[in-house]
Amino acid sequence: MLGAYMPQFQVKKVVAVCFLEAAKLTLDHLGAFRLELSQNGATGPADLPRLYGEVRRLRDYLQRCVSGYQDIVELDLPPADASLLVAACRRAVEQIDLRMTEQAVPADERQWLQKKRQVVSDWTVELAEKPLVDLPLRRLMQVAGDGYRSLTTRLQNKVFGDVKDRTRIVPPSGGNVNGNSMVLGVPSFGDQVRAVDPGESDPQMLGVPQPHTSMRPMPVGAMPSMPAAESAQPPLFDYHKLRDPRLRSLVGVDLRGYERALAASDFRLATVMLASVVESAVLDHVIPRRAEFGVSGTPDTWSPQDLLLTALGERATPKDRSLAYHLFSARNLLRPAMQLVTPAVVTSASFDRLREFALHVLHGLGFGVPTATLPPGSLSVDDFSPPPGLGPSL
């Protein structure tokens, strides 16, 4: 392992070339970002010129190191340059993920990209030390790819320790804990299509910012602690059927918050709680069936949307896919930065669509309650097994 002071170390030339390509890519993206800010008359981050100069210096240094004929390259990076190289390599992994999503990529090139991504990821983890540098650039993908998600998990485990060894924070009664998302780059509701159902003309559809109201806070009732029994909605979820005691405890907390949000007509917070509840149900369904769903590693690296759609299988309609995407993007409603860029509102009508979809899914997974209102043709729990050989690529 490399020490905190990052002494001189040796890498194969192919690895040094990967470092150089990552630095060049980052420099190009920073340059394009500066040009865009200049054309728009915006100022941008105050340290952007300094960061651009440091990345250019790192690129020049790596260029000199790989210019020789030797097969082994010696690098001598101070901690600041090593942190910058880690950030550039993270950007490179994201770029590789983006390239691999293109349908025209030949099979041999795809295999080569996978190997390159693995090499860059391994060295990124090796070089990583606190603090990690975050580049002031937009994500290349709206939903992070497999490689970037895996790399993020490995970096967090190294820098902050394994998740099972970290200090556990017990949420207060009725609260909800929303940690940092492992699925980076998920677009906010404001980036979504105008309607969930093709042809719908409801101007208040979920995810469409409305003039003069999109930045206005949703009304909060005067009785936030109204008992759940007074809510007009039927019970959502029989969480006692969950097998995992940890998920059972989390859902119990989230359901109390969900009921209070409904009582106060706070559809934004109710949507976030609804997404958390459905994610817990999906995890509880998948964890004992890891082999069937083709997942490995820890649940924080999985995509609940992919798992849910895999469970639906061929029965998943375009409407189901759109609703699942909207539901699991609800976390962005609690991100002020996303709301400043793409403000969004949640209306009663759009919330009702998501709630009906959640009831449909929860019932199919075997957790629904008889009093809940379900759409026609609801699935049974037997329908929620992935087809043979099908599983999300996580």
Side-chain angles (χ1 to χ4, degrees):
M1 296 295 290
L2 300 173
Y5 292 100
M6 206 61 61
Q8 189 177 42
F9 61 100
Q10 297 179 338
V11 297
K12 293 181 179 180
K13 191 167 186 176
V14 64
V15 176
V17 171
C18 289
F19 289 166
L20 176 60
E21 291 177 350
K24 287 181 176 179
L25 174 72
T26 303
L27 190 65
D28 290 344
H29 290 181
L30 287 172
F33 184 45
R34 293 182 68 190
L35 179 61
E36 178 185 350
L37 291 175
S38 176
Q39 291 175 344
N40 295 335
T43 56
D47 60 345
L48 182 59
R50 176 190 59 78
L51 182 63
Y52 181 86
E54 290 178 351
V55 175
R56 182 171 59 183
R57 178 174 52 80
L58 177 63
R59 180 207 61 183
D60 294 342
Y61 171 72
L62 294 172
Q63 182 72 63
R64 292 193 301 269
C65 290
V66 302
S67 60
Y69 295 99
Q70 67 277 16
D71 293 330
I72 301 298
V73 177
E74 293 186 350
L75 298 177
D76 190 2
L77 296 175
D81 286 351
S83 297
L84 204 57
L85 180 57
V86 168
C89 288
R90 291 164 61 190
R91 190 75 175 176
V93 169
E94 190 177 11
Q95 177 68 35
I96 294 175
D97 280 348
L98 179 62
R99 171 63 177 157
M100 292 179 64
T101 61
E102 300 176 4
Q103 305 244 346
V105 178
D108 55 345
E109 182 181 352
R110 185 177 299 275
Q111 185 178 8
W112 176 80
L113 286 172
Q114 289 175 341
K115 292 180 179 179
K116 180 179 179 181
R117 183 178 64 183
Q118 185 63 48
V119 170
V120 174
S121 297
D122 290 344
W123 273 101
T124 302
V125 176
E126 181 72 13
L127 294 169
E129 299 288 346
K130 282 186 179 182
L132 295 177
V133 174
D134 287 324
L135 299 172
L137 297 172
R138 299 185 186 93
R139 295 266 72 88
L140 296 176
M141 301 176 65
Q142 291 183 334
V143 178
D146 298 340
Y148 192 83
R149 287 203 305 268
S150 175
L151 175 58
T152 302
T153 301
R154 295 174 64 189
L155 287 174
Q156 290 199 355
N157 287 341
K158 179 182 179 181
V159 175
F160 301 107
D162 193 271
V163 65
K164 64 178 179 293
D165 297 328
R166 299 178 201 167
T167 304
R168 284 172 167 68
I169 302 176
V170 180
S173 177
N176 185 22
V177 177
N178 287 290
N180 293 331
S181 171
M182 292 299 299
V183 185
L184 303 178
V186 176
S188 72
F189 280 39
D191 293 327
Q192 310 307 317
V193 293
R194 186 170 184 272
V196 173
D197 291 330
E200 283 191 350
S201 58
D202 181 5
Q204 296 293 323
M205 177 58 63
L206 174 64
V208 182
Q210 301 301 317
H212 311 297
T213 63
S214 59
M215 293 297 292
R216 189 179 304 164
M218 298 299 295
V220 178
M223 296 179 291
S225 59
M226 180 182 294
E230 297 181 22
S231 173
Q233 299 285 0
L236 174 69
F237 185 51
D238 185 8
Y239 71 94
H240 295 96
K241 294 183 179 180
L242 290 169
R243 291 172 287 270
D244 192 298
R246 297 165 299 178
L247 291 173
R248 197 159 55 238
S249 176
L250 288 174
V251 171
V253 172
D254 286 346
L255 281 176
R256 288 193 291 271
Y258 169 82
E259 291 165 355
R260 283 196 295 270
L262 279 186
S265 298
D266 188 347
F267 299 113
R268 181 182 71 109
L269 188 56
T271 301
V272 175
M273 295 296 188
L274 183 66
S276 179
V277 166
V278 174
E279 179 176 346
S280 294
V282 171
L283 290 177
D284 192 77
H285 180 76
V286 171
I287 286 175
R289 302 176 176 86
R290 291 171 182 260
E292 298 176 29
F293 282 83
V295 295
S296 59
T298 56
D300 59 342
T301 63
W302 304 347
S303 169
Q305 177 184 337
D306 291 343
L307 293 174
L308 177 57
L309 292 177
T310 300
L312 289 170
E314 296 179 353
R315 299 170 182 83
T317 64
K319 177 182 178 181
D320 290 332
R321 296 179 182 276
S322 182
L323 287 169
Y325 183 81
H326 279 75
L327 182 64
F328 290 117
S329 297
R331 70 192 72 199
N332 286 325
L333 293 171
L334 295 182
R335 295 183 59 191
M338 297 296 293
Q339 292 301 299
L340 285 174
V341 177
T342 52
V345 294
V346 182
T347 66
S348 175
S350 59
F351 170 77
D352 285 341
R353 291 187 184 92
L354 286 180
R355 180 180 172 277
E356 287 296 320
F357 173 69
L359 288 171
H360 178 74
V361 171
L362 292 172
H363 175 76
L365 292 174
F367 303 123
V369 292
T371 56
T373 303
L374 287 167
S378 297
L379 302 177
S380 68
V381 67
D382 294 333
D383 296 327
F384 278 76
S385 295
L390 179 62
S393 301
L394 297 172

